[in-house]
Amino acid sequence: MKILFVGAHPPLPLDNGGRLRTFHLLDELSQRAEVALVTLDREPASGMRPCPAEAIEMALPALRAVHVVPPPQARKRARQLTSLATRRSYTEAMYRTPTLVSAVRTGMERFEPDLVHCESLFGAYVHPSESAAEATWVLALQNDEALLKERMAATAGEWLRRTLYRREAQALGELQRRYLATFDHCVAVSDTERARFEAQGAESATTVPNGVAPLPEPDGPPRAPEAGEPLRLLFVGSLNYEPNAQGLEWFVHEVAPRVRERVRIEIEVVGPGRRGPELPGVNYIGRVDDLGPVYGRAHAAVVPLRAGAGSRLKVVEALARGVPLVSTTLGVEGYDLRDGEHALIADDPVGLAERFALLDASLRGDRRLAGSLVAAGYAFARELFWPRIGEGLAATYSDWVEARATSPS
């Protein structure tokens, strides 16, 4: 089986959930099929340095070929203002470039793939609607982008930002419906989003969840705080992603004061992106190459999101590393996690403070709750190791390709 993988962003650097998912899907598929990659060399208007093809080839040596192209010159603010008048998606306009279309056409001619995997709604425009019969076309959506913008509108403070996000949500909803009807198949990250995509017009869809690299099973309950040591909380995520930045700010200003009425805490933030304005009581670490040490000193991982879509890799990462997880309901969306069994889940400051107090008491005394959370969390995460996910995806793609080859049409 030959797969042409089309990316709206490169798989490197491994510093946010989207690139991590892209990297691992490429890694797993390239070990089970012939895979060629065509991708933008950076995300538009991100400030990223271009990712050279040589770096991708070194990180993913099983790839058959890699071709990168530059994104269009994106002026985000200008495109946003234009979208208010045209009601077209400013986000897709930032990604749309004939250079990527041309590179995909060339890849189709030279590589002759059995299947084309488009790894984002914002790369779906490369689909040649009038002549796609030579391959199976799959639209892989990391998020319900329309839902994401709706939720960002609901949590935005400024009137203009709320209006902009609502308009963008409508435009993205129209794009999703158009492309879901055009592509042969759709890939979603959760059963919830798969059902939404089917309602929007996808005739064939499957769920390929977010996962984690295989990690050894924890050898016991999580580390207890030393006498006089505060409960160390860890937030992992790119602060360039607005839902992460909003969630962290809400946690520091609204939740942390309630928690501190009952428990001494320290908050550590790991990930790239903007830091300002500095939040009180937060230790910013920035991007790190190895998350092991930061998880090793944490007593709990925190996912306090109030906006977003898809599912968060940071959730399954914490579970796989044996660190108790405290989250909002939206933070663990996409995973079938239950409060008190796999994680501690609440949506208001009082409820979250109660759960931190429970966890702190368990870690310092009767450790059954903390131990059961870690055991159940790891058992859940083990089913989401990337090799298992990759094996299932490759099998699904093989079935789709075979079904197309044997179809009477």
Side-chain angles (χ1 to χ4, degrees):
M1 180 172 57
K2 298 168 71 174
I3 300 173
L4 182 64
F5 194 110
V6 181
H9 56 76
L12 300 173
L14 299 176
D15 60 0
N16 74 14
R19 287 191 284 275
L20 279 163
R21 179 178 172 88
T22 299
F23 177 90
H24 285 290
L25 291 183
L26 278 168
D27 185 29
E28 297 299 333
L29 287 173
S30 64
Q31 294 180 47
R32 297 168 173 84
E34 292 185 63
V35 179
L37 171 66
V38 176
T39 183
L40 297 181
D41 65 9
R42 59 195 180 276
E43 294 178 33
S46 66
M48 291 175 59
R49 294 178 180 274
C51 181
E54 295 77 12
I56 298 173
E57 292 167 346
M58 185 175 297
L60 294 164
L63 288 176
R64 173 80 175 272
V66 177
H67 184 65
V68 300
V69 302
Q73 294 295 318
R75 296 179 179 178
K76 185 175 181 179
R77 297 297 178 230
R79 293 189 188 277
Q80 286 177 328
L81 292 174
T82 300
S83 73
L84 290 174
T86 63
R87 297 184 180 273
R88 294 179 179 177
S89 167
Y90 67 82
T91 313
E92 195 207 27
M94 290 169 55
Y95 283 83
R96 183 178 281 271
T97 170
T99 308
L100 185 63
V101 175
S102 176
V104 171
R105 298 292 182 275
T106 301
M108 295 287 293
E109 294 170 2
R110 295 180 179 176
F111 188 54
E112 297 183 344
D114 302 300
L115 182 145
V116 181
H117 170 116
C118 288
E119 179 60 4
S120 170
L121 176 67
F122 305 121
Y125 64 85
V126 304
H127 185 284
S129 302
E130 71 287 352
S131 60
E134 66 273 18
T136 298
W137 283 76
V138 178
L139 179 57
L141 297 173
Q142 295 188 354
N143 291 306
D144 182 331
E145 299 291 349
L147 178 64
L148 172 60
K149 284 299 189 289
E150 287 175 9
R151 287 173 169 172
M152 291 173 67
T155 57
E158 302 171 4
W159 171 84
L160 181 59
R161 189 178 293 270
R162 290 196 303 273
T163 301
L164 182 67
Y165 286 158
R166 289 193 183 104
R167 294 274 182 89
E168 183 68 356
Q170 294 171 355
L172 290 173
E174 293 173 3
L175 280 178
Q176 285 179 182
R177 286 186 288 273
R178 181 199 313 170
Y179 288 129
L180 287 169
T182 301
F183 278 71
D184 300 308
H185 305 279
C186 168
V187 168
V189 299
S190 71
D191 290 339
T192 301
E193 293 211 342
R194 177 181 53 78
R196 285 200 293 266
F197 296 147
E198 288 173 339
Q200 292 172 8
E203 293 187 6
S204 170
T206 191
T207 299
V208 178
N210 280 324
V212 66
L215 290 165
E217 186 171 359
D219 56 5
R223 182 179 71 85
E226 301 289 340
E229 182 184 9
L231 194 69
R232 301 189 184 279
L233 311 183
L234 174 64
F235 177 94
V236 177
S238 170
L239 296 181
N240 289 327
Y241 183 53
E242 189 169 338
N244 279 343
Q246 285 183 353
L248 178 62
E249 185 173 355
W250 174 73
F251 182 81
V252 170
H253 289 305
E254 303 296 333
V255 180
R258 295 279 190 156
V259 179
R260 289 191 173 103
E261 292 174 0
R262 309 176 67 167
V263 178
R264 285 184 59 220
I265 59 172
E266 287 188 358
I267 305 169
E268 195 164 77
V269 173
V270 176
R274 62 183 186 273
R275 289 176 52 170
E278 296 282 347
L279 297 173
V282 175
N283 181 22
Y284 292 92
I285 304 299
R287 183 179 180 274
V288 298
D289 293 326
D290 182 8
L291 287 170
V294 294
Y295 274 108
R297 61 178 175 260
H299 299 119
V302 184
V303 187
L305 298 192
R306 300 194 300 152
S311 61
R312 265 56 66 188
L313 279 82
K314 60 175 72 70
V315 168
V316 70
E317 166 98 332
L319 299 179
R321 290 187 179 274
V323 177
L325 177 69
V326 184
S327 176
T328 57
T329 302
L330 196 145
V332 296
E333 183 181 40
Y335 299 112
D336 186 19
L337 300 178
R338 290 180 288 277
D339 179 36
E341 181 179 346
H342 305 95
L344 298 176
I345 304 167
D347 292 312
D348 62 281
V350 173
L352 286 167
E354 289 175 350
R355 282 154 179 79
F356 281 113
L358 282 172
L359 178 61
D360 184 74
S362 178
L363 288 171
R364 298 180 193 273
D366 181 349
R367 305 185 69 191
R368 284 179 293 180
L369 173 62
S372 68
L373 289 172
V374 166
Y378 181 83
F380 184 91
R382 184 171 50 203
E383 301 300 312
L384 297 174
F385 286 169
W386 282 118
R388 181 188 293 266
I389 292 172
E391 183 178 2
L393 178 60
T396 297
Y397 279 5
S398 180
D399 289 344
W400 285 347
V401 168
E402 183 178 356
R404 187 181 191 91
T406 58
S407 171
S409 61

